[in-house]
Amino acid sequence: MTNQPPPSRPANLLQGEALCVLIASFVAYHLLFPHHWVLFACLFFVPDLSLLLYARGPSTAASVVYNVMHSYVLPAVVGILAVLLRSPLLGGICMVWIGHIALDRALGFGLKYATSFQFTHIQSAMNPVIPADKPRAQ
């Protein structure tokens, strides 16, 4: 694992793709709503309200709510609804939400495990527990 070049390490790839998604969400938002950056700023950290469940420490409920709010699934559903309902507001919410998730992942924050607040899927990609390959018999 340590001999893998940095650009191809899974954690670096996850963070790089998140950075691309973040930039894409900014560009898409700007193209569709060029003069509505106040709304973007007001909504950007709303998904982090799920962190309040961690006030009493890590728990399954806290990690589930946090992970639901920080997964691309719900913003994708909101985006589909925006298209079907032709709702610019839902479209903007979708792009802001995706941008928030992408920023978190680009910074190395990821989906949480129930047993720890700090340990996320990004950290598990950085330091995976992978058994060494056994030498093949010849």
Side-chain angles (χ1 to χ4, degrees):
M1 179 67 192
T2 58
N3 60 358
Q4 198 170 12
S8 67
R9 290 184 185 146
N12 293 354
L13 291 171
L14 287 171
Q15 289 178 287
E17 75 181 9
L19 184 61
C20 292
V21 171
L22 176 64
I23 292 168
S25 73
F26 283 174
V27 170
Y29 190 89
H30 177 71
L31 292 174
L32 293 172
F33 311 104
H35 304 292
H36 293 94
W37 285 100
V38 172
L39 177 65
F40 192 98
C42 289
L43 295 175
F44 195 74
F45 291 105
V46 168
D48 281 341
L49 292 175
S50 61
L51 289 170
L52 294 175
L53 291 173
Y54 279 98
R56 293 187 177 175
S59 69
T60 300
S63 67
V64 167
V65 172
Y66 180 90
N67 290 344
V68 165
M69 295 302 293
H70 286 84
S71 166
Y72 289 116
V73 175
L74 283 181
V77 169
V78 171
I80 291 167
L81 287 174
V83 171
L84 293 175
L85 300 174
R86 296 181 181 176
S87 170
L89 178 62
L90 289 178
I93 290 170
C94 169
M95 285 180 269
V96 172
W97 199 347
I98 287 173
H100 173 87
I101 294 167
L103 177 65
D104 276 2
R105 295 196 183 168
L107 293 174
F109 306 120
L111 301 176
K112 309 281 185 205
Y113 291 97
T115 55
S116 172
F117 176 77
Q118 288 84 14
F119 193 67
T120 69
H121 83 285
I122 303 280
Q123 279 81 26
S124 64
M126 288 180 188
N127 298 309
V129 179
I130 301 173
D133 289 337
K134 295 179 182 177
R136 288 189 246 171
Q138 293 183 354

